[in-house]
């Protein structure tokens, strides 16, 4: 669907995903210099979800059922906890631009998991998936990921977790509207903080201005605004269209990383970006 024919709220949601989420890779990379990664991600989502929930309680929004809360808890573990938490951990070892390139494979995994829920793949989608796998392989040949097999594995697991949550979200009972965003973020934040304690994360020193600014940006823009926009799009457009932010985020993340952090992106990474984005376009061609 052309952007000119989208409803204003839907267009705003797409722009939030494209621009805000593209910048969060840079901000996460800055934040993990001051914060333990799981703890930072947990505080980010727990705080964002709690603020949204407090506002909804003030507005006397109806409380969700136990069944809906169960769906939100499952999505919270798959998406904020696994999908974002593992990215945050990986960015201690992998540049922000390369992390965004790997996460660009989310639509490929979403297509694969959508088959579990009755989606019949077209030949073009299978071609896109094969091309995307080739892009991941090419990306692993570059110095950025080959030097960090653990970082590569974490990012691929993050992509798979986020994609499974995206595909499953249309089938799971969950709270409506912003209430769903709030509880999903709260459950994800709790899972991340529990994981932080389980692995023994500790603050080496009190975060400075940059660390707090990164946390604030991720909480307000990356979570309260962009994540709510994503859940809204999952309910109003196809999963493939909702994950189309993967076209734009890698480009924004690579550019921001190069400008502000001096991150080097080699020929392998640039070629892999072209291959992966082309694969995502093939998968979503009919739905765009």
């Amino acid at each position: 669907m052309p952007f000119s024919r989208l409803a204003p709220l839907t267009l705003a949601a797409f722009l939030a995903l494209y621009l805000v989420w593209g910048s969060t890779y840079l901000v996460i990379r800055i934040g993990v210099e001051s914060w333990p990664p799981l703890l930072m991600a947990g505080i980010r989502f727990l705080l964002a979800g709690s603020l949204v929930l407090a506002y909804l309680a003030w507005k006397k929004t109806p409380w969700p059922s136990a069944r809906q809360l169960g769906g939100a808890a499952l999505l919270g573990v798959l998406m904020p906890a696994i999908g974002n938490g593992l990215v945050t951990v990986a960015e201690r070892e992998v540049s922000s631009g390369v992390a965004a390139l790997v996460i660009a494979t989310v639509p490929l995994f979403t297509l694969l998991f959508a088959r579990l829920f009755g989606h019949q793949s077209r030949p073009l989608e299978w071609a896109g998936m094969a091309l995307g796998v080739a892009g991941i392989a090419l990306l692993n040949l570059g110095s950025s990921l080959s030097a960090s097999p653990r970082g590569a594995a974490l990012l691929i697991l993050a992509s798979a977790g986020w994609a499974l949550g995206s595909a499953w979200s249309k089938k799971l009972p969950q709270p409506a509207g912003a209430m769903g965003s709030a509880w999903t973020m709260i459950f994800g934040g709790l899972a991340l903080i529990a994981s932080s304690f389980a692995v023994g994360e500790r603050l080496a020193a009190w975060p400075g201005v940059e660390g707090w600014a990164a946390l604030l940006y991720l909480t307000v823009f990356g979570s309260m605004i962009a994540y709510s926009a994503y859940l809204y799009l999952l309910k109003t457009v196809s999963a493939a269209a909702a994950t189309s932010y993967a076209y734009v985020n890698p480009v924004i993340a690579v550019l921001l990383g190069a400008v502000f952090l001096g991150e080097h992106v080699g020929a392998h990474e640039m070629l892999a970006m072209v291959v992966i984005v082309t694969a995502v376009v093939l998968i979503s061609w009919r739905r765009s």
Side-chain angles (χ1 to χ4, degrees):
M1 180 183 293
F3 279 126
S4 60
R5 299 165 70 180
L6 292 175
L9 184 58
T10 303
L11 178 59
F14 272 116
L15 290 177
L17 295 192
Y18 292 170
L19 301 179
V20 174
W21 266 356
S23 66
T24 55
Y25 293 93
L26 168 69
V27 179
I28 288 172
R29 188 70 184 84
I30 294 171
V32 294
E33 296 294 328
S34 303
W35 295 92
L38 292 173
L39 180 62
M40 183 182 76
I43 294 174
R44 162 192 176 179
F45 284 109
L46 184 58
L47 181 58
S50 298
L51 289 172
V52 174
L53 186 62
Y55 171 76
L56 294 174
W58 177 69
K59 295 284 288 185
K60 295 183 170 54
T61 304
W63 207 252
S65 66
R67 190 161 173 264
Q68 289 174 323
L69 286 175
L74 183 53
L75 290 181
V77 170
L78 288 172
M79 297 171 75
I82 295 176
N84 186 271
L86 295 185
V87 172
T88 307
V89 174
E91 283 207 44
R92 277 201 159 177
E93 306 175 17
V94 177
S95 71
S96 61
V98 170
L101 290 179
V102 179
I103 300 303
T105 61
V106 162
L108 279 67
F109 285 104
T110 302
L111 172 63
L112 183 63
F113 289 126
R115 290 183 58 81
L116 300 176
F117 303 104
H119 173 75
Q120 296 300 314
S121 301
R122 296 173 291 115
L124 196 62
E125 290 175 327
W126 283 113
M129 184 176 294
L131 190 61
V133 171
I136 296 174
L138 183 62
L139 190 58
N140 275 273
L141 292 176
S143 59
S144 298
L145 282 186
S146 61
S148 178
R150 177 175 176 269
L154 288 172
L155 290 169
I156 290 173
L157 286 173
S159 298
W162 190 273
L164 179 56
S166 299
W168 207 345
S169 66
K170 289 185 175 293
K171 302 291 183 179
L172 282 174
Q174 53 185 298
M179 186 67 78
S181 304
W183 279 110
T184 301
M185 289 190 288
I186 287 172
F187 284 122
L190 290 173
L192 285 162
I193 290 176
S195 299
S196 174
F197 281 109
V199 301
E201 284 188 343
R202 295 291 184 274
L203 270 175
W206 195 248
V209 174
E210 284 190 350
W212 284 106
L215 179 63
L216 181 63
Y217 182 88
L218 292 170
T219 299
V220 176
F221 293 95
S223 300
M224 295 177 69
I225 295 176
Y227 185 69
S228 297
Y230 183 62
L231 290 185
Y232 165 78
L233 289 175
L234 283 176
K235 294 178 181 179
T236 55
V237 300
S238 70
T243 55
S244 65
Y245 63 86
Y247 307 160
V248 184
N249 284 179
V251 180
I252 293 176
V254 166
L255 290 175
L256 291 177
V259 171
F260 291 100
L261 298 179
E263 294 178 348
H264 173 70
V265 179
H268 275 101
E269 287 81 6
M270 293 302 294
L271 182 56
M273 178 169 65
V274 173
V275 172
I276 290 171
V277 172
T278 302
V280 174
V281 170
L282 285 178
I283 287 173
S284 307
W285 186 263
R286 183 184 291 178
R287 298 184 178 89
S288 296

